[in-house]
Amino acid sequence: MLKRIFSCDANPSQVSEIMKRLYNLTPSEIRPLPSYDDQNFYVAPSEGGEYVLKIMNTEDSKNTTIIELQTHAMSFLHHNGVPAQTAMPTTSGQLMNCGYGSQKYVVRLLNYLPGVTISKVPLTPKLLYEAGRMAARMDEVLQKMEHPHLSILQRDNFIWSLSNILLLEGYMNVLDGDPLQKVIKSVIHQYKNSVIPKRSNFRECINHGDFNDLNVLVQPDDNNGYKISGILDFGDMSRGYYVYELAITIMYMMIEHPDPIEVGGPVLAGWESVFPLNEDEKDCLYLLVVSRFCQSLVMARYSVTLHPENEEYLMITSRKGIKILQQVWELGKEHVEKVWFQRAAQFNK
């Protein structure tokens, strides 16, 4: 299922009414927060505390079971030391409400996590190491989670799963006439020949699936650097493999770095401090990273055909991503892997 533009337009007075009716709180400050799929508001009640009121889009609101599972996962992570948001109960004790608006929109009130997105600070080797370590720790905790509906995370046709790279073949027409199409077809071909045969040796887990530069919050630490203070947006959770989360983390950190090739080493070192890769996972890491670039670029281009009025927003990551994908593909697997694994070894020393 593709990401969708939000179709509800709540205003501050409606947010104030929702807060009073569902949570018996009186907002003294309300401001909209950036979002693509949903509508988010920062809310500071006069009673104290800071929150995010999240109104889900219509499509996702139809599947309350998966939203409940995502909410449970966030709470489980929080109680196991991973900085995820938790949902506040309504006055009737529910963690989500399904009755806002003429159409049904799921509403949740989440605690507000302090910090800025990792995209706004320098990506030092230390912070990249911390990103890798945190992503691995998150998946390690999620794998221990119990829930009666975990099977719903087996999202077989989910376009954003790294298991479903072959689904991109159905969208190649959006790149007709673009030299990028040839690169992406080559990546898909290599994925078929080199990743699929080895996938049975990957270790399974539950993936967050979107550990990107806008979903990771940081705060200043005590050493003039930054530490991770929050992980946002669990809407892409699915059953997958540990190495997928690592590939996704490397790809999105590359987007924000002035020398993208240098990202993989410290992220990999941080990851392996928690969860060392096996030989097949190591061998497929490069192709999984470039496959994630392909997913992002193809689906952004496809989304522009659906929502041309949002082209500027939709293509933010793509413009950087195209250059990086071309650079990484031209350098080749052997060269890039050598840089990543040598830097990781040096970092650990």
Side-chain angles (χ1 to χ4, degrees):
M1 186 182 294
L2 302 184
K3 295 198 169 187
R4 297 151 301 278
I5 297 297
F6 183 71
S7 55
C8 176
D9 190 22
N11 59 45
S13 65
Q14 290 169 319
V15 170
S16 185
E17 186 274 326
I18 292 169
M19 290 293 294
K20 190 66 180 174
R21 176 168 53 86
L22 295 182
Y23 302 99
N24 200 26
L25 294 172
T26 307
S28 59
E29 181 185 354
I30 299 172
R31 54 184 161 86
L33 296 171
S35 181
Y36 181 56
D37 273 348
D38 309 312
Q39 198 170 17
N40 297 333
F41 292 90
Y42 168 86
V43 182
S46 55
E47 292 85 353
E50 294 179 289
Y51 302 97
V52 174
L53 185 73
K54 190 175 189 73
I55 307 175
M56 304 293 290
N57 64 74
T58 48
E59 194 63 36
D60 286 340
S61 291
K62 295 173 184 174
N63 195 339
T64 55
T65 304
I66 199 164
I67 298 172
E68 192 276 323
L69 177 53
Q70 291 162 4
T71 306
H72 174 77
M74 290 155 60
S75 178
F76 187 77
L77 287 166
H78 173 79
H79 289 297
N80 282 276
V82 179
Q85 291 174 295
T86 54
M88 305 296 117
T90 64
T91 52
S92 61
Q94 299 171 304
L95 292 178
M96 60 186 193
N97 181 275
C98 307
Y100 171 68
S102 55
Q103 298 187 58
K104 296 298 182 184
Y105 299 98
V106 169
V107 175
R108 288 179 294 172
L109 186 65
L110 308 175
N111 67 313
Y112 179 79
L113 295 177
V116 298
T117 59
I118 200 169
S119 63
K120 294 186 177 179
V121 303
L123 288 178
T124 62
K126 180 175 176 290
L127 185 54
L128 289 169
Y129 178 94
E130 177 65 13
R133 191 192 68 80
M134 183 64 76
R137 172 73 183 136
M138 173 181 63
D139 278 15
E140 194 177 56
V141 171
L142 285 174
Q143 186 60 7
K144 299 173 184 173
M145 180 176 71
E146 296 180 355
H147 192 277
H149 299 297
L150 281 180
S151 61
I152 204 171
L153 295 177
Q154 193 68 45
R155 302 167 77 176
D156 293 332
N157 292 309
F158 184 44
I159 194 68
W160 292 99
S161 167
L162 277 169
S163 288
N164 293 330
I165 294 301
L166 272 56
L167 293 180
L168 295 180
E169 292 176 325
Y171 298 88
M172 283 293 103
N173 63 304
V174 300
L175 293 169
D176 284 349
D178 190 323
L180 185 65
Q181 187 185 71
K182 183 179 178 182
V183 174
I184 292 175
K185 284 183 175 180
S186 297
V187 173
I188 295 171
H189 179 73
Q190 291 287 334
Y191 181 95
K192 286 179 184 176
N193 292 335
S194 302
V195 176
I196 291 177
K198 294 182 177 178
R199 219 160 48 188
S200 60
N201 293 323
F202 295 173
R203 272 82 57 83
E204 288 190 31
C205 71
I206 295 170
N207 292 140
H208 172 278
D210 202 12
F211 199 85
N212 71 43
D213 44 314
L214 299 178
N215 285 338
V216 180
L217 301 178
V218 296
Q219 280 186 301
D221 62 16
D222 297 329
N223 300 306
N224 298 316
Y226 291 89
K227 62 182 179 183
I228 293 176
S229 59
I231 301 168
L232 308 176
D233 191 356
F234 286 75
D236 283 356
M237 270 177 61
S238 66
R239 181 154 287 286
Y241 302 97
Y242 284 100
V243 69
Y244 286 3
E245 200 81 80
L246 172 59
I248 290 166
T249 304
I250 290 174
M251 177 267 179
Y252 284 116
M253 296 304 121
M254 289 175 80
I255 292 286
E256 294 298 334
H257 199 278
D259 190 359
I261 303 302
E262 293 298 320
V263 165
V267 173
L268 177 60
W271 178 278
E272 292 206 294
S273 72
V274 176
F275 195 85
L277 299 181
N278 65 33
E279 288 307 311
D280 283 331
E281 291 163 342
K282 286 180 181 179
D283 190 50
C284 292
L285 181 59
Y286 167 83
L287 272 172
L288 290 169
V289 171
V290 294
S291 293
R292 183 58 169 201
F293 272 107
C294 293
Q295 285 179 315
S296 178
L297 299 176
V298 171
M299 299 323 297
R301 196 71 62 89
Y302 178 72
S303 294
V304 168
T305 67
L306 299 179
H307 305 284
E309 73 281 5
N310 289 305
E311 180 174 2
E312 188 61 34
Y313 178 88
L314 291 165
M315 296 299 289
I316 290 172
T317 300
S318 288
R319 290 193 179 96
K320 295 179 184 176
I322 290 168
K323 293 178 183 176
I324 299 170
L325 173 61
Q326 289 171 332
Q327 178 193 8
V328 171
W329 195 244
E330 286 170 13
L331 287 171
K333 179 176 185 287
E334 185 177 345
H335 177 89
V336 174
E337 282 184 345
K338 185 177 179 181
V339 173
W340 288 353
F341 288 105
Q342 283 186 353
R343 297 286 192 279
Q346 292 166 359
F347 201 93
N348 285 329
K349 289 177 183 177

Short mmCIF file of all heavy atoms in Angstrom, two decimals, residues 89-124:
data_model
loop_
_atom_site.label_atom_id
_atom_site.label_comp_id
_atom_site.label_asym_id
_atom_site.label_seq_id
_atom_site.Cartn_x
_atom_site.Cartn_y
_atom_site.Cartn_z
N PRO A 89 -4.15 7.59 27.76
CA PRO A 89 -5.53 7.11 27.70
C PRO A 89 -6.54 8.25 27.69
O PRO A 89 -6.29 9.32 28.26
CB PRO A 89 -5.67 6.26 28.97
CG PRO A 89 -4.63 6.79 29.91
CD PRO A 89 -3.51 7.28 29.06
N THR A 90 -7.66 8.02 27.02
CA THR A 90 -8.77 8.97 27.08
C THR A 90 -9.41 8.89 28.46
O THR A 90 -9.06 8.06 29.29
CB THR A 90 -9.82 8.64 26.01
OG1 THR A 90 -10.39 7.35 26.33
CG2 THR A 90 -9.21 8.60 24.62
N THR A 91 -10.38 9.76 28.70
CA THR A 91 -11.06 9.75 29.99
C THR A 91 -11.80 8.43 30.24
O THR A 91 -12.05 8.05 31.37
CB THR A 91 -12.07 10.91 30.09
OG1 THR A 91 -12.93 10.87 28.94
CG2 THR A 91 -11.35 12.25 30.15
N SER A 92 -12.09 7.71 29.13
CA SER A 92 -12.75 6.40 29.29
C SER A 92 -11.74 5.25 29.31
O SER A 92 -12.13 4.09 29.29
CB SER A 92 -13.77 6.19 28.17
OG SER A 92 -13.13 6.21 26.90
N GLY A 93 -10.43 5.59 29.29
CA GLY A 93 -9.40 4.56 29.43
C GLY A 93 -8.89 3.96 28.14
O GLY A 93 -8.08 3.04 28.16
N GLN A 94 -9.33 4.49 26.99
CA GLN A 94 -8.87 3.95 25.70
C GLN A 94 -7.58 4.64 25.26
O GLN A 94 -7.39 5.84 25.52
CB GLN A 94 -9.93 4.17 24.62
CG GLN A 94 -11.26 3.46 24.91
CD GLN A 94 -12.33 3.90 23.92
OE1 GLN A 94 -12.62 5.08 23.77
NE2 GLN A 94 -12.90 2.93 23.22
N LEU A 95 -6.70 3.88 24.56
CA LEU A 95 -5.46 4.47 24.05
C LEU A 95 -5.64 5.10 22.67
O LEU A 95 -4.77 5.81 22.19
CB LEU A 95 -4.34 3.42 24.00
CG LEU A 95 -3.85 2.93 25.37
CD1 LEU A 95 -2.78 1.86 25.20
CD2 LEU A 95 -3.33 4.08 26.22
N MET A 96 -6.79 4.83 22.04
CA MET A 96 -7.09 5.50 20.78
C MET A 96 -8.60 5.62 20.63
O MET A 96 -9.36 4.83 21.19
CB MET A 96 -6.48 4.77 19.58
CG MET A 96 -6.95 3.35 19.38
SD MET A 96 -6.01 2.56 18.03
CE MET A 96 -7.02 1.10 17.76
N ASN A 97 -9.01 6.66 19.90
CA ASN A 97 -10.43 6.91 19.68
C ASN A 97 -10.69 6.89 18.19
O ASN A 97 -9.92 7.44 17.41
CB ASN A 97 -10.81 8.27 20.28
CG ASN A 97 -12.29 8.57 20.10
OD1 ASN A 97 -12.70 9.07 19.07
ND2 ASN A 97 -13.07 8.28 21.12
N CYS A 98 -11.78 6.26 17.78
CA CYS A 98 -12.03 6.06 16.34
C CYS A 98 -13.21 6.86 15.82
O CYS A 98 -13.82 6.50 14.82
CB CYS A 98 -12.26 4.57 16.07
SG CYS A 98 -10.95 3.53 16.70
N GLY A 99 -13.56 7.97 16.47
CA GLY A 99 -14.80 8.64 16.07
C GLY A 99 -14.71 10.07 15.64
O GLY A 99 -15.71 10.76 15.66
N TYR A 100 -13.51 10.56 15.24
CA TYR A 100 -13.43 11.98 14.91
C TYR A 100 -13.87 12.24 13.47
O TYR A 100 -13.45 11.56 12.54
CB TYR A 100 -12.00 12.51 15.11
CG TYR A 100 -11.85 13.91 14.57
CD1 TYR A 100 -12.49 14.98 15.19
CD2 TYR A 100 -11.12 14.16 13.42
CE1 TYR A 100 -12.40 16.26 14.68
CE2 TYR A 100 -11.01 15.44 12.90
CZ TYR A 100 -11.66 16.48 13.54
OH TYR A 100 -11.57 17.75 13.04
N GLY A 101 -14.70 13.26 13.26
CA GLY A 101 -15.06 13.71 11.92
C GLY A 101 -16.21 12.92 11.31
O GLY A 101 -16.67 11.93 11.85
N SER A 102 -16.71 13.43 10.15
CA SER A 102 -17.81 12.76 9.46
C SER A 102 -17.34 11.40 8.95
O SER A 102 -18.10 10.44 8.93
CB SER A 102 -18.31 13.62 8.30
OG SER A 102 -17.24 13.94 7.44
N GLN A 103 -16.08 11.32 8.50
CA GLN A 103 -15.46 10.03 8.24
C GLN A 103 -14.74 9.63 9.52
O GLN A 103 -14.52 10.45 10.39
CB GLN A 103 -14.46 10.13 7.09
CG GLN A 103 -15.11 10.55 5.77
CD GLN A 103 -14.12 10.48 4.63
OE1 GLN A 103 -13.55 9.44 4.36
NE2 GLN A 103 -13.92 11.61 3.96
N LYS A 104 -14.37 8.37 9.63
CA LYS A 104 -13.74 7.90 10.85
C LYS A 104 -12.23 8.07 10.80
O LYS A 104 -11.57 7.52 9.90
CB LYS A 104 -14.10 6.42 11.11
CG LYS A 104 -15.59 6.19 11.34
CD LYS A 104 -16.08 6.92 12.58
CE LYS A 104 -17.54 6.66 12.83
NZ LYS A 104 -18.08 7.42 13.96
N TYR A 105 -11.69 8.84 11.72
CA TYR A 105 -10.26 9.03 11.84
C TYR A 105 -9.81 8.58 13.23
O TYR A 105 -10.39 8.99 14.23
CB TYR A 105 -9.89 10.51 11.68
CG TYR A 105 -10.25 11.11 10.35
CD1 TYR A 105 -11.43 11.85 10.19
CD2 TYR A 105 -9.43 10.95 9.24
CE1 TYR A 105 -11.77 12.41 8.98
CE2 TYR A 105 -9.76 11.50 8.01
CZ TYR A 105 -10.93 12.25 7.89
OH TYR A 105 -11.26 12.79 6.68
N VAL A 106 -8.77 7.77 13.28
CA VAL A 106 -8.24 7.35 14.57
C VAL A 106 -7.45 8.51 15.17
O VAL A 106 -6.63 9.15 14.51
CB VAL A 106 -7.33 6.12 14.43
CG1 VAL A 106 -6.57 5.84 15.72
CG2 VAL A 106 -8.15 4.89 14.04
N VAL A 107 -7.72 8.77 16.44
CA VAL A 107 -7.05 9.85 17.17
C VAL A 107 -6.27 9.26 18.34
O VAL A 107 -6.79 8.41 19.08
CB VAL A 107 -8.09 10.87 17.72
CG1 VAL A 107 -7.41 11.92 18.59
CG2 VAL A 107 -8.84 11.54 16.57
N ARG A 108 -4.99 9.69 18.48
CA ARG A 108 -4.19 9.29 19.64
C ARG A 108 -3.49 10.52 20.21
O ARG A 108 -3.12 11.43 19.46
CB ARG A 108 -3.14 8.25 19.25
CG ARG A 108 -3.68 6.88 18.95
CD ARG A 108 -2.56 5.93 18.55
NE ARG A 108 -1.94 6.31 17.29
CZ ARG A 108 -0.86 5.75 16.78
NH1 ARG A 108 -0.23 4.78 17.44
NH2 ARG A 108 -0.36 6.14 15.62
N LEU A 109 -3.31 10.52 21.51
CA LEU A 109 -2.54 11.56 22.18
C LEU A 109 -1.25 10.92 22.68
O LEU A 109 -1.26 10.05 23.55
CB LEU A 109 -3.32 12.17 23.35
CG LEU A 109 -2.66 13.37 24.02
CD1 LEU A 109 -2.58 14.56 23.04
CD2 LEU A 109 -3.42 13.78 25.28
N LEU A 110 -0.12 11.37 22.11
CA LEU A 110 1.18 10.79 22.44
C LEU A 110 2.00 11.78 23.25
O LEU A 110 1.85 13.00 23.09
CB LEU A 110 1.94 10.44 21.16
CG LEU A 110 1.19 9.57 20.14
CD1 LEU A 110 2.02 9.41 18.87
CD2 LEU A 110 0.85 8.21 20.73
N ASN A 111 2.86 11.26 24.12
CA ASN A 111 3.74 12.18 24.84
C ASN A 111 4.71 12.83 23.86
O ASN A 111 5.13 12.22 22.87
CB ASN A 111 4.49 11.46 25.97
CG ASN A 111 5.48 10.43 25.46
OD1 ASN A 111 5.15 9.62 24.60
ND2 ASN A 111 6.69 10.45 25.99
N TYR A 112 5.05 14.08 24.12
CA TYR A 112 5.95 14.84 23.25
C TYR A 112 7.40 14.54 23.63
O TYR A 112 7.79 14.69 24.80
CB TYR A 112 5.67 16.33 23.39
CG TYR A 112 6.55 17.21 22.55
CD1 TYR A 112 6.31 17.38 21.19
CD2 TYR A 112 7.63 17.90 23.12
CE1 TYR A 112 7.11 18.20 20.41
CE2 TYR A 112 8.44 18.71 22.34
CZ TYR A 112 8.18 18.86 21.00
OH TYR A 112 8.98 19.66 20.23
N LEU A 113 8.19 14.08 22.65
CA LEU A 113 9.60 13.80 22.91
C LEU A 113 10.44 15.02 22.56
O LEU A 113 10.29 15.59 21.48
CB LEU A 113 10.06 12.59 22.08
CG LEU A 113 9.40 11.25 22.41
CD1 LEU A 113 9.90 10.18 21.45
CD2 LEU A 113 9.67 10.84 23.84
N PRO A 114 11.32 15.43 23.47
CA PRO A 114 12.15 16.62 23.21
C PRO A 114 13.23 16.32 22.19
O PRO A 114 13.59 15.17 21.94
CB PRO A 114 12.77 16.91 24.59
CG PRO A 114 12.83 15.57 25.26
CD PRO A 114 11.62 14.82 24.79
N GLY A 115 13.75 17.39 21.58
CA GLY A 115 14.86 17.24 20.66
C GLY A 115 14.54 17.77 19.27
O GLY A 115 13.44 18.24 19.00
N VAL A 116 15.54 17.68 18.40
CA VAL A 116 15.37 18.05 16.99
C VAL A 116 15.67 16.82 16.14
O VAL A 116 16.30 15.86 16.61
CB VAL A 116 16.32 19.21 16.59
CG1 VAL A 116 16.01 20.45 17.39
CG2 VAL A 116 17.79 18.80 16.75
N THR A 117 15.22 16.83 14.90
CA THR A 117 15.50 15.67 14.04
C THR A 117 17.00 15.59 13.77
O THR A 117 17.69 16.62 13.69
CB THR A 117 14.73 15.76 12.71
OG1 THR A 117 15.11 16.95 12.03
CG2 THR A 117 13.24 15.74 12.96
N ILE A 118 17.48 14.38 13.59
CA ILE A 118 18.91 14.14 13.36
C ILE A 118 19.38 14.82 12.07
O ILE A 118 20.57 15.09 11.91
CB ILE A 118 19.20 12.63 13.36
CG1 ILE A 118 20.70 12.35 13.63
CG2 ILE A 118 18.75 11.98 12.07
CD1 ILE A 118 21.00 10.88 13.90
N SER A 119 18.44 15.15 11.19
CA SER A 119 18.78 15.83 9.94
C SER A 119 19.32 17.24 10.18
O SER A 119 19.93 17.84 9.29
CB SER A 119 17.55 15.91 9.03
OG SER A 119 16.53 16.69 9.64
N LYS A 120 19.10 17.79 11.39
CA LYS A 120 19.45 19.19 11.66
C LYS A 120 20.76 19.36 12.41
O LYS A 120 21.14 20.48 12.76
CB LYS A 120 18.32 19.87 12.43
CG LYS A 120 17.03 19.98 11.62
CD LYS A 120 15.97 20.77 12.34
CE LYS A 120 14.74 20.94 11.47
NZ LYS A 120 13.66 21.68 12.14
N VAL A 121 21.47 18.26 12.66
CA VAL A 121 22.73 18.36 13.40
C VAL A 121 23.84 17.66 12.60
O VAL A 121 23.56 16.83 11.73
CB VAL A 121 22.61 17.73 14.81
CG1 VAL A 121 21.49 18.38 15.60
CG2 VAL A 121 22.42 16.22 14.73
N PRO A 122 25.11 17.99 12.90
CA PRO A 122 26.21 17.33 12.19
C PRO A 122 26.24 15.83 12.48
O PRO A 122 26.18 15.41 13.64
CB PRO A 122 27.46 18.02 12.74
CG PRO A 122 26.97 19.31 13.34
CD PRO A 122 25.59 19.04 13.83
N LEU A 123 26.34 15.02 11.43
CA LEU A 123 26.38 13.57 11.60
C LEU A 123 27.83 13.13 11.84
O LEU A 123 28.52 12.67 10.94
CB LEU A 123 25.78 12.87 10.38
CG LEU A 123 24.27 12.98 10.22
CD1 LEU A 123 23.81 12.28 8.94
CD2 LEU A 123 23.54 12.39 11.41
N THR A 124 28.27 13.28 13.07
CA THR A 124 29.62 12.87 13.45
C THR A 124 29.71 11.34 13.46
O THR A 124 28.68 10.66 13.59
CB THR A 124 29.97 13.40 14.84
OG1 THR A 124 29.05 12.82 15.79
CG2 THR A 124 29.87 14.92 14.91
#
